[in-house]
Amino acid sequence: MSARMPDGPTRAAVRDRLDRVTDPELDRSIVELEYIDSIEIDGEHVSVAFTLPTAWCSPAFAWMMAVDARDEVESLPAVETARITLAEHMHETEINRGVNERLSFADAFPDADGDVEAVRAELDEKARVARQYDAVETLLEAGLDAETIVDLRLRDLEAAGSGANTAQSGSTEAAIDDETVAIYAADRSFAVSVPVAPLESYLEKARETGLVTEPDERLFRTPEGEPIPLDSFDLVHRRGRLAQVNMSSQGGICDGLREAREGRLEKTADD
Amino acid sequence: MYQHNGEEIFVIDGHVHLWDATEDNIKHDGGEEFIQCFYDYHTTFTPEERQWDLDEYRRYGADRMVEDLFSNAATDMAIFQPTYLTDFYTEGFNTTEQNAELATEYPERFVLNGTFDPRDGEDGLEYLEELHEKYEIPGVKLYTAEWRDDSKGWRLDDEEAFEFLEKCQELGIENIHAHKGPTIRPLNRDAFDVKDVDDAASSFPELNFIVEHVGLPRLDDFCWIAAQENNVYGGLAVAAPFAQNRPGKFSEIMSELLWWLGEDRVLFGSDYALWNPDWLVEEVLEAELTQEHRAEYGVEWDIETKKKVMGENIAELYDIDIEAKRRAFQDDEISQQFGLEDHYASEEPAAADD
């Protein structure tokens, strides 16, 4: 083994890793959603406790979050093990045991049919569609038209600074700063600078879902993963908006349930 | 009839239950978890001063139901949607037979729906025929995520389900309400996945498929399917109470529904006793779309749309003659009980000034 840091990770580093874990249904960080109850660091061993909005949250979703939290925290060089504890969930025993003993979902839940990867893939695809809406809005606001947007390829994106390495490295001609990206359009005859965040966020999911990996591949797709026919541009964009409304509505339900449950537990504690 | 800006709106609550979740009736942990989950939904969206306590929520009984639905005339009629859950509750949670207690007492006010479960095979087909014979059910409510022994759910596009849909068509049971709502407890598979409605709706064009809870949290899948299948409808139960505590979100969901489905295919439902129509109807009718959404979607939540969504659309599906009902309610038992005779007798009011 390589040399380890003597003092383990910082709290900030652990938090930063957990911030990358999303609630797969809402596509929002579990840190931002305030699911994390505690982080304890004991040298190279980290313990994370979290609670979901209701005890009835899908066990498959809870499993994904617990596994992702474990893997993200353990990806820190200063961490030897991460122990994850889900509280107040109807399947907390199976999930905590399964995740900490590194079982597969199917082994942790013998009465489930198969694994959770198909569920994860479907939710990733929805997150990709919702993120595409923001990315496309950004381009429309920058003045690009539908015809240009449906034809964009990965190679037409060029990152500005080193912190935003969106496509191929190398070109910094159109660089303005770390927060913008150059979009080359019309056979690279001109470039437009746009905020990088929505495009980076989109690309992250587009890559995760295996849709856009090669420089020549079309950047934006229908929800089914196909290139967008020009005459369907508006409809596909509407579907992206709809995917966002779906996620934020469900987020509203989850927020409400979390508050209701906190209220109920506080009331019980007062009695 | 709800009085709104000088106009009267006939309200048909498309989604009500008479349930029993008392501890005596619970036979599986799932039954207790289920009612606790309902109760969290209840307290999340109900104004604080209108919240019930858990004990009355477990079993409220027929009298209270009639009063909650009809006493202030916010609701004029209601449609029972059964939820059996017989693996969780000894006598079932909310069966057709339990609902029939009230529906047969007030046949003018209630519509009684039945159900089927394709996993019951021949017995299930017989039961469906029995329900049809005994109660003349015009519709069924289906709960695809219901547990049955080792099975944690079924799909509307299963071959077995198609046999039951064929039977519905044969018997003239035209309204197929599918619960496609918040995930309660599937394991890995999504038993409330809405995609199975697609194939069923295109295979049975003469049946109406009402997707309850507008598919939330699968609003996107639902709207996309409904945009292509014109016999697919959206029931507002669970989406409606957003009007009370998240009006901006309600505006956005409603705008999406009106844009994708149009004003003829969205149906009001309170989901009573999850939420009481006596406050919910008012919240929904007084809700407004934001300027931003109206401009973005080009849709309106105006008086004509409200009349359709709150009653006319579902009246169409269930062959309810609203004007005849209004006349009948001038002296029916419920109007007498709550002193509403004048309410229904009033002349059609003049059009609003504005």
Side-chain angles (χ1 to χ4, degrees):
Chain A
M1 292 290 290
S2 56
R4 293 173 190 149
M5 287 170 70
D7 295 318
T10 63
R11 181 170 295 274
V14 172
R15 230 181 135 73
D16 175 58
R17 284 285 153 182
L18 291 173
D19 195 39
R20 303 178 190 199
V21 178
T22 55
D23 179 321
E25 190 179 37
L26 309 182
D27 193 28
R28 283 164 63 197
S29 150
I30 61 171
V31 172
E32 178 202 338
L33 289 163
E34 299 182 18
Y35 292 171
I36 304 294
D37 300 320
S38 67
I39 298 170
E40 283 172 28
I41 300 168
D42 179 10
E44 298 162 321
H45 304 286
V46 176
S47 300
V48 174
F50 76 116
T51 309
L52 296 173
T54 91
W56 301 271
C57 277
S58 157
F61 300 172
W63 176 270
M64 288 177 215
M65 286 182 255
V67 166
D68 290 352
R70 179 195 72 197
D71 293 348
E72 280 291 347
V73 173
E74 287 188 351
S75 73
L76 290 168
V79 173
E80 176 72 29
T81 58
R83 184 166 185 84
I84 308 296
T85 309
L86 171 64
E88 306 278 339
H89 191 276
M90 64 188 170
H91 287 303
E92 62 186 44
T93 311
E94 293 96 323
I95 289 171
N96 290 331
R97 173 173 170 262
V99 170
N100 293 309
E101 293 183 11
R102 285 150 214 276
L103 306 179
S104 70
F105 183 80
D107 286 336
F109 287 100
D111 60 345
D113 318 286
D115 222 316
V116 292
E117 288 317 307
V119 182
R120 188 193 281 276
E122 186 168 336
L123 293 169
D124 275 342
E125 188 51 42
K126 287 193 175 203
R128 196 270 304 170
V129 172
R131 292 182 185 194
Q132 175 169 302
Y133 179 81
D134 285 339
V136 169
E137 275 292 284
T138 305
L139 299 183
L140 288 169
E141 278 166 27
L144 293 187
D145 60 15
E147 199 176 346
T148 306
I149 293 170
V150 300
D151 201 40
L152 285 175
R153 319 278 163 153
L154 186 55
R155 64 175 147 77
D156 297 325
L157 251 68
E158 284 186 8
S162 56
N165 191 10
T166 313
Q168 315 101 300
S169 53
S171 171
T172 50
E173 283 171 77
I176 297 175
D177 55 51
D178 277 1
E179 288 167 3
T180 59
V181 62
I183 307 285
Y184 285 90
D187 284 336
R188 304 180 75 79
S189 60
F190 69 93
V192 179
S193 288
V194 299
V196 72
L199 285 150
E200 285 245 291
S201 168
Y202 167 69
L203 269 181
E204 185 191 345
K205 279 289 170 196
R207 286 196 175 107
E208 259 176 56
T209 51
L211 269 187
V212 184
T213 49
E214 300 300 321
D216 280 345
E217 286 181 312
R218 300 237 196 193
L219 204 47
F220 299 113
R221 308 298 182 95
T222 67
E224 289 75 26
E226 302 298 321
I228 304 170
L230 182 57
D231 61 3
S232 301
F233 175 81
D234 286 337
L235 192 63
V236 169
H237 196 43
R238 285 260 174 204
R239 291 178 73 185
R241 173 86 164 102
L242 179 61
Q244 284 198 340
V245 172
N246 180 55
M247 278 181 180
S248 59
S249 304
Q250 185 57 18
I253 290 175
C254 293
D255 285 350
L257 292 178
R258 192 166 55 86
E259 284 163 26
R261 181 154 80 157
E262 275 169 11
R264 182 156 53 85
L265 294 177
E266 271 169 31
K267 207 173 156 195
T268 314
D270 290 346
D271 288 344
Chain B
M1 299 174 79
Y2 190 85
Q3 314 283 333
H4 180 69
N5 295 346
E7 298 233 22
E8 295 190 329
I9 298 180
F10 193 88
V11 177
I12 302 175
D13 187 334
H15 198 130
V16 302
H17 317 281
L18 180 57
W19 71 55
D20 176 3
T22 47
E23 278 155 18
D24 286 349
N25 194 28
I26 291 173
K27 72 169 171 189
H28 183 284
D29 286 347
E32 179 61 23
E33 288 169 353
F34 193 81
I35 191 66
Q36 293 271 359
C37 181
F38 268 31
Y39 190 63
D40 277 353
Y41 273 96
H42 171 76
T43 55
T44 295
F45 286 101
T46 304
E48 206 166 341
E49 67 282 6
R50 309 298 301 267
Q51 289 176 12
W52 302 19
D53 71 42
L54 182 58
D55 278 339
E56 57 188 334
Y57 196 72
R58 286 179 186 275
R59 185 179 195 172
Y60 37 93
D63 291 344
R64 169 155 195 182
M65 180 166 186
V66 168
E67 187 167 342
D68 283 343
L69 294 185
F70 304 121
S71 69
N72 72 355
T75 300
D76 302 291
M77 290 183 67
I79 300 179
F80 274 118
Q81 309 290 1
T83 316
Y84 278 53
L85 300 176
T86 40
D87 273 26
F88 288 179
Y89 298 95
T90 309
E91 303 293 330
F93 180 62
N94 158 54
T95 62
T96 309
E97 288 81 2
Q98 287 163 337
N99 294 165
E101 180 189 340
L102 265 177
T104 50
E105 193 177 345
Y106 303 105
E108 286 293 312
R109 294 284 189 155
F110 286 104
V111 173
L112 182 66
N113 275 345
T115 191
F116 68 70
D117 187 324
R119 293 168 297 187
D120 294 339
E122 281 303 316
D123 290 350
L125 287 167
E126 267 175 44
Y127 180 64
L128 182 62
E129 280 186 18
E130 256 173 57
L131 288 178
H132 177 254
E133 208 164 291
K134 193 168 176 189
Y135 301 116
E136 289 179 62
I137 51 169
V140 285
K141 163 76 187 301
L142 308 175
Y143 208 77
T144 50
E146 181 162 355
W147 289 22
R148 181 69 44 94
D149 301 323
D150 289 341
S151 162
K152 302 287 183 280
W154 56 277
R155 293 178 58 92
L156 262 169
D157 54 6
D158 288 341
E159 204 177 306
E160 297 79 18
F162 270 32
E163 270 182 56
F164 281 77
L165 290 172
E166 272 163 31
K167 176 63 79 180
C168 284
Q169 190 152 303
E170 186 188 315
L171 296 170
I173 299 169
E174 288 177 357
N175 298 309
I176 314 295
H177 295 253
H179 174 111
K180 294 292 181 184
T183 300
I184 290 183
R185 186 182 169 149
L187 282 165
N188 53 329
R189 267 205 320 200
D190 182 356
F192 286 135
D193 181 1
V194 69
K195 291 185 190 113
D196 57 343
V197 173
D198 197 350
D199 190 21
S202 42
S203 303
F204 294 91
E206 289 160 44
L207 299 178
N208 309 311
F209 290 83
I210 300 105
V211 173
E212 295 296 347
H213 318 300
V214 290
L216 277 171
R218 301 159 203 84
L219 183 70
D220 45 351
D221 297 331
F222 163 67
C223 287
W224 182 239
I225 290 165
Q228 288 150 87
E229 308 292 338
N230 59 13
N231 57 335
V232 170
Y233 297 74
L236 282 178
V238 174
F242 273 97
Q244 191 269 130
N245 62 351
R246 294 177 190 264
K249 191 49 60 188
F250 177 82
S251 166
E252 199 176 27
I253 295 172
M254 198 54 117
S255 299
E256 290 281 3
L257 290 170
L258 292 172
W259 195 84
W260 289 96
L261 279 78
E263 59 187 25
D264 297 329
R265 290 196 283 144
V266 182
L267 314 170
F268 174 73
S270 69
D271 221 346
Y272 183 86
L274 271 158
W275 297 287
N276 270 43
D278 55 12
W279 61 264
L280 183 60
V281 168
E282 180 177 352
E283 292 288 347
V284 170
L285 282 173
E286 302 296 333
E288 288 175 9
L289 304 187
T290 65
Q291 280 297 345
E292 191 193 341
H293 291 149
R294 289 167 64 195
E296 182 184 346
Y297 292 88
V299 298
E300 293 291 339
W301 182 230
D302 55 15
I303 190 77
E304 294 312 316
T305 311
K306 287 171 182 173
K307 282 182 172 176
K308 287 183 169 185
V309 169
M310 301 307 287
E312 289 173 6
N313 290 342
I314 204 159
E316 188 88 11
L317 297 185
Y318 280 86
D319 294 322
I320 294 167
D321 179 338
I322 287 177
E323 199 37 49
K325 285 286 178 187
R326 174 201 169 93
R327 285 194 299 274
F329 293 170
Q330 288 173 11
D331 61 353
D332 81 336
E333 205 182 324
I334 281 178
S335 289
Q336 287 172 24
Q337 185 182 342
F338 300 111
L340 297 170
E341 297 93 333
D342 291 348
H343 173 84
Y344 286 104
S346 68
E347 293 298 314
E348 191 67 52
D353 294 336
D354 53 359

